[in-house]
Amino acid sequence: MTRPFSFSAGPATLPLPVLDRAKDDMFDWRGTGVSVMEISHRHAAVAALFEQVERDLRTLLAVPADYRILLTQAPPTALAAIIPMNLAAPDDVADFVHTGAWSGRFYTEAQKYLRPHLAVSSEYTGFTDIPPQSSWELTPFARYVHLCTNETIHGVEFFFTPETNGIPLVADMSSHLLSRVPDVARYGAIIAGAQKNMGIAGVSVVIVQEALLGKAQVTCPSVFDWRKLADASSLLNTPPVHAVYIASLVLEWIKAEGGVDEMERRAIAKSAHLYRCIDASALYINHVRPHCRSRMNVPFFLSDPSLTQTFLSGAERHGLLGLAGHRSLGGIRASLYNAMPMAGIEKLVEYMREFERSA
Ligand SMILES: Cc1ncc(COP(=O)(O)O)c(C=O)c1O
């Protein structure tokens, strides 16, 4: 049986060796005689699993020693509230860099927990550009500056780290974590859901500077208080053990494939192949400015929108799944996460060329 390629934005495709290994482990994980889903989170093997995930993330992302790596059940949508609750008081100001749907949602949610200030918005471009930092209006006394370094819906990615002159930068890296090595020391906190490049939904990673811990608002639920979570080595309450286990397999796979630099090399090659096809065609259009085109999420439109549904149905018949654009934008979106092999993009490009010829 030939497996289809899933271009879904998340939950997303997983590396085949990860699925194979999970299948093998299903009935007897690490000699325990049971699956990882049937064991107490207080078992030594589970503590070892959490330590291993933290160690691998630290190595793969070159996380400095004064940063804590937390695994939390809070999805990024909840982190939109949990970040301000952990880092600021209700009267504090935090700056928001609005470059697409996700940074916008975090800005809106933060209004319940602090005084958010919109430092810049690229809404006037239809979220197709990242305005230069010289045009941002940063607040000198802001508690932190929030941005989304890869906008999954609009396909806009940051390829520079903004300068915030000592004010902690907080980045939602949900959809491109592990596709390149960020300069962690330039961020106060980095958050990401696992379901794109690190496994399945159910767990998120928070990488946070130790010095920022211990300031949670009194109303912050204890399980989401990062100080408490750090003190308990992410085992404060019943954690999403299975999602953490899958993350451990994905991290092992990344190491075996050559690490995050290799993931970046592949991401450049894969996305370039698709953007070349789009740019050479009269039918497909990507509106994002070349300097900030995402390597992970490529939204595009057909110049004749009435062909979109035919394109998608044909793609499914060719084993190319999950290509419908986000419901807010329509069109097409191809997500090219680490686990998507070049063969998937080649097949997609071949299909796109064939579809254009016959359109
Ligand atoms: C960049 C980004 N942030 C936040 C989220 C929200 O994640 P969740 O639906 O797991 O809360 C997503 C989901 O796709 C995302 O892509």
Side-chain angles (χ1 to χ4, degrees):
M1 185 189 87
T2 340
R3 242 183 149 244
F5 292 105
S6 170
F7 291 89
S8 170
T13 190
L14 288 163
L16 269 182
V18 167
L19 293 176
D20 256 342
R21 177 72 189 280
K23 183 182 69 175
D24 291 347
D25 284 351
M26 183 57 90
F27 290 94
D28 181 7
W29 178 63
R30 292 192 179 173
T32 55
V34 291
S35 78
V36 72
M37 294 168 284
E38 300 168 282
I39 200 167
S40 165
H41 57 289
R42 301 297 171 201
H43 193 289
V46 174
L49 172 73
F50 275 61
E51 279 163 26
Q52 180 198 327
V53 167
E54 184 189 325
R55 211 171 32 247
D56 285 348
L57 279 169
R58 197 172 285 283
T59 311
L60 285 167
L61 296 173
V63 178
D66 60 331
Y67 282 72
R68 300 300 299 264
I69 299 176
L70 312 176
L71 299 170
T72 171
Q73 220 149 4
T77 306
L79 287 164
I82 292 165
I83 293 167
M85 276 199 250
N86 269 277
L87 301 183
D91 282 342
D92 284 336
V93 172
D95 282 336
F96 285 77
V97 177
H98 186 206
T99 53
W102 285 112
S103 50
R105 284 229 212 160
F106 276 59
Y107 167 70
T108 305
E109 185 72 6
Q111 295 174 10
K112 299 179 196 164
Y113 306 101
L114 45 62
R115 294 194 291 141
H117 167 249
L118 212 52
V120 65
S121 173
S122 62
E123 195 165 9
Y124 69 94
T125 70
F127 301 118
T128 57
D129 198 3
I130 296 176
Q133 215 204 308
S134 54
S135 68
W136 303 6
E137 286 173 14
L138 294 175
T139 313
F141 51 87
R143 271 278 161 212
Y144 64 89
V145 178
H146 177 95
L147 77 167
C148 175
T149 45
N150 186 66
E151 291 279 6
T152 322
I153 295 173
H154 288 92
V156 171
E157 184 168 1
F158 275 76
F159 292 104
F160 68 98
T161 310
E163 180 49 69
T164 50
N165 300 314
I167 295 177
L169 198 52
V170 175
D172 175 4
M173 296 196 182
S174 288
S175 49
H176 73 163
L177 193 78
L178 294 161
S179 70
R180 56 190 162 102
V181 181
D183 186 354
V184 176
R186 305 225 11 228
Y187 295 86
I190 291 169
I191 65 108
Q195 68 267 28
K196 287 112 171 31
N197 263 341
M198 210 180 99
I200 60 172
V203 68
S204 298
V205 58
V206 174
I207 302 172
V208 58
Q209 203 175 14
E210 179 89 47
L212 296 178
L213 298 178
K215 300 185 182 106
Q217 296 182 15
V218 284
T219 50
C220 179
S222 296
V223 283
F224 299 141
D225 179 332
W226 292 347
R227 172 78 273 165
K228 293 191 170 112
L229 200 57
D231 289 346
S233 304
S234 301
L235 287 160
L236 196 57
N237 68 319
T238 314
V241 179
H242 188 251
V244 174
Y245 156 74
I246 296 288
S248 78
L249 300 185
V250 172
L251 296 173
E252 258 174 45
W253 174 78
I254 293 175
K255 286 193 294 180
E257 292 293 304
V260 177
D261 287 341
E262 175 60 17
M263 295 298 122
E264 179 174 22
R265 194 193 63 72
R266 292 180 192 179
I268 292 170
K270 288 186 294 183
S271 55
H273 190 48
L274 179 53
Y275 283 121
R276 258 196 309 274
C277 167
I278 293 171
D279 291 343
S281 115
L283 181 62
Y284 308 112
I285 311 155
N286 168 273
H287 295 293
V288 179
R289 294 278 307 278
H291 75 99
C292 56
R293 278 175 159 183
S294 171
R295 294 172 184 161
M296 295 284 111
N297 309 98
V298 182
F300 59 94
F301 301 88
L302 271 63
S303 55
D304 177 355
S306 70
L307 293 175
T308 306
Q309 205 42 55
T310 318
F311 176 94
L312 289 170
S313 316
E316 290 219 355
R317 281 197 301 279
H318 283 75
L320 303 163
L321 310 183
L323 282 166
H326 188 267
R327 60 190 182 282
S328 61
L329 285 189
I332 317 289
R333 174 176 52 172
S335 294
L336 319 177
Y337 297 125
N338 288 345
M340 173 59 66
M342 185 56 138
I345 286 100
E346 281 168 354
K347 190 163 176 191
L348 171 61
V349 164
E350 209 176 290
Y351 169 70
M352 287 168 66
R353 288 186 182 139
E354 188 190 305
F355 184 87
E356 184 168 7
R357 272 194 299 272
S358 62

